mmCIF file of all heavy atoms in Angstrom:
data_model
loop_
_atom_site.group_PDB
_atom_site.id
_atom_site.type_symbol
_atom_site.label_atom_id
_atom_site.label_comp_id
_atom_site.label_asym_id
_atom_site.label_seq_id
_atom_site.Cartn_x
_atom_site.Cartn_y
_atom_site.Cartn_z
ATOM 1 N N SER A 264 -68.793 173.598 116.299
ATOM 2 C CA SER A 264 -67.664 172.664 116.240
ATOM 3 C C SER A 264 -66.383 173.365 116.666
ATOM 4 O O SER A 264 -65.513 172.750 117.271
ATOM 5 C CB SER A 264 -67.520 172.054 114.847
ATOM 6 O OG SER A 264 -67.167 173.036 113.902
ATOM 7 N N VAL A 272 -59.322 170.922 123.355
ATOM 8 C CA VAL A 272 -57.922 171.326 123.523
ATOM 9 C C VAL A 272 -57.687 171.787 124.959
ATOM 10 O O VAL A 272 -56.687 171.397 125.595
ATOM 11 C CB VAL A 272 -57.540 172.426 122.509
ATOM 12 C CG1 VAL A 272 -56.202 173.057 122.862
ATOM 13 C CG2 VAL A 272 -57.504 171.863 121.106
ATOM 14 N N SER A 290 -41.395 159.395 144.772
ATOM 15 C CA SER A 290 -41.147 158.988 146.148
ATOM 16 C C SER A 290 -39.645 159.063 146.413
ATOM 17 O O SER A 290 -38.831 158.801 145.535
ATOM 18 C CB SER A 290 -41.677 157.577 146.402
ATOM 19 O OG SER A 290 -41.016 156.663 145.565
ATOM 20 N N ARG A 320 -20.144 159.951 141.670
ATOM 21 C CA ARG A 320 -19.464 160.336 142.915
ATOM 22 C C ARG A 320 -19.129 161.824 142.926
ATOM 23 O O ARG A 320 -18.714 162.384 141.923
ATOM 24 C CB ARG A 320 -18.177 159.535 143.075
ATOM 25 C CG ARG A 320 -17.456 159.850 144.367
ATOM 26 C CD ARG A 320 -16.483 158.771 144.752
ATOM 27 N NE ARG A 320 -15.655 159.166 145.874
ATOM 28 C CZ ARG A 320 -16.067 159.235 147.125
ATOM 29 N NH1 ARG A 320 -17.311 158.928 147.413
ATOM 30 N NH2 ARG A 320 -15.254 159.607 148.088
ATOM 31 N N VAL A 321 -19.317 162.434 144.085
ATOM 32 C CA VAL A 321 -18.867 163.790 144.361
ATOM 33 C C VAL A 321 -18.066 163.723 145.658
ATOM 34 O O VAL A 321 -18.260 162.828 146.472
ATOM 35 C CB VAL A 321 -20.035 164.794 144.513
ATOM 36 C CG1 VAL A 321 -20.762 165.007 143.201
ATOM 37 C CG2 VAL A 321 -21.002 164.368 145.599
ATOM 38 N N VAL A 350 -36.883 169.333 155.441
ATOM 39 C CA VAL A 350 -37.813 168.303 155.909
ATOM 40 C C VAL A 350 -37.358 167.775 157.268
ATOM 41 O O VAL A 350 -38.160 167.590 158.169
ATOM 42 C CB VAL A 350 -37.915 167.154 154.884
ATOM 43 C CG1 VAL A 350 -38.842 166.066 155.364
ATOM 44 C CG2 VAL A 350 -38.366 167.692 153.530
ATOM 45 N N ASP A 354 -29.241 166.546 164.711
ATOM 46 C CA ASP A 354 -27.820 166.749 165.004
ATOM 47 C C ASP A 354 -26.917 166.224 163.899
ATOM 48 O O ASP A 354 -25.914 166.842 163.573
ATOM 49 C CB ASP A 354 -27.444 166.062 166.321
ATOM 50 C CG ASP A 354 -28.009 166.793 167.531
ATOM 51 O OD1 ASP A 354 -28.399 167.970 167.387
ATOM 52 O OD2 ASP A 354 -28.059 166.183 168.608
ATOM 53 N N ALA A 359 -33.448 167.938 152.769
ATOM 54 C CA ALA A 359 -34.145 169.080 152.172
ATOM 55 C C ALA A 359 -34.707 168.668 150.826
ATOM 56 O O ALA A 359 -34.190 167.757 150.169
ATOM 57 C CB ALA A 359 -33.183 170.248 151.990
ATOM 58 N N PHE A 396 -29.824 166.026 133.650
ATOM 59 C CA PHE A 396 -29.077 167.049 132.919
ATOM 60 C C PHE A 396 -28.060 167.763 133.811
ATOM 61 O O PHE A 396 -27.788 168.948 133.655
ATOM 62 C CB PHE A 396 -30.020 168.047 132.249
ATOM 63 C CG PHE A 396 -30.951 167.398 131.283
ATOM 64 C CD1 PHE A 396 -32.255 167.099 131.654
ATOM 65 C CD2 PHE A 396 -30.523 167.034 130.018
ATOM 66 C CE1 PHE A 396 -33.114 166.468 130.771
ATOM 67 C CE2 PHE A 396 -31.381 166.403 129.138
ATOM 68 C CZ PHE A 396 -32.674 166.114 129.509
ATOM 69 N N ALA A 398 -28.279 168.558 136.985
ATOM 70 C CA ALA A 398 -28.826 169.470 137.995
ATOM 71 C C ALA A 398 -28.372 169.110 139.406
ATOM 72 O O ALA A 398 -28.062 170.003 140.205
ATOM 73 C CB ALA A 398 -30.350 169.475 137.921
ATOM 74 N N ARG A 400 -25.609 167.402 140.413
ATOM 75 C CA ARG A 400 -24.180 167.694 140.584
ATOM 76 C C ARG A 400 -23.974 169.202 140.724
ATOM 77 O O ARG A 400 -23.213 169.669 141.574
ATOM 78 C CB ARG A 400 -23.378 167.147 139.400
ATOM 79 C CG ARG A 400 -21.875 167.339 139.553
ATOM 80 C CD ARG A 400 -21.112 166.632 138.448
ATOM 81 N NE ARG A 400 -21.329 165.209 138.443
ATOM 82 C CZ ARG A 400 -20.679 164.332 139.223
ATOM 83 N NH1 ARG A 400 -19.766 164.768 140.068
ATOM 84 N NH2 ARG A 400 -20.924 163.048 139.150
ATOM 85 N N GLU A 404 -22.318 171.246 143.903
ATOM 86 C CA GLU A 404 -21.167 172.132 143.725
ATOM 87 C C GLU A 404 -21.504 173.564 144.128
ATOM 88 O O GLU A 404 -20.657 174.279 144.663
ATOM 89 C CB GLU A 404 -20.632 172.049 142.299
ATOM 90 C CG GLU A 404 -20.061 170.681 141.952
ATOM 91 C CD GLU A 404 -19.049 170.138 142.964
ATOM 92 O OE1 GLU A 404 -18.223 170.923 143.498
ATOM 93 O OE2 GLU A 404 -19.082 168.922 143.237
ATOM 94 N N GLU A 408 -19.512 175.548 146.997
ATOM 95 C CA GLU A 408 -18.947 176.882 146.759
ATOM 96 C C GLU A 408 -19.485 177.895 147.768
ATOM 97 O O GLU A 408 -18.739 178.720 148.291
ATOM 98 C CB GLU A 408 -19.264 177.320 145.326
ATOM 99 C CG GLU A 408 -18.411 178.444 144.824
ATOM 100 C CD GLU A 408 -16.917 178.134 144.827
ATOM 101 O OE1 GLU A 408 -16.518 176.992 144.543
ATOM 102 O OE2 GLU A 408 -16.146 179.064 145.133
ATOM 103 N N LEU A 410 -20.509 177.354 150.761
ATOM 104 C CA LEU A 410 -20.052 177.080 152.117
ATOM 105 C C LEU A 410 -18.539 177.122 152.264
ATOM 106 O O LEU A 410 -18.033 177.151 153.374
ATOM 107 C CB LEU A 410 -20.572 175.709 152.565
ATOM 108 C CG LEU A 410 -22.091 175.588 152.611
ATOM 109 C CD1 LEU A 410 -22.484 174.189 153.017
ATOM 110 C CD2 LEU A 410 -22.701 176.614 153.528
#
Side-chain angles (χ1 to χ4, degrees):
S264 66
V272 168
S290 61
R320 182 160 171 74
V321 292
V350 179
D354 288 343
F396 301 99
R400 184 173 299 277
E404 295 309 321
E408 198 59 37
L410 299 178

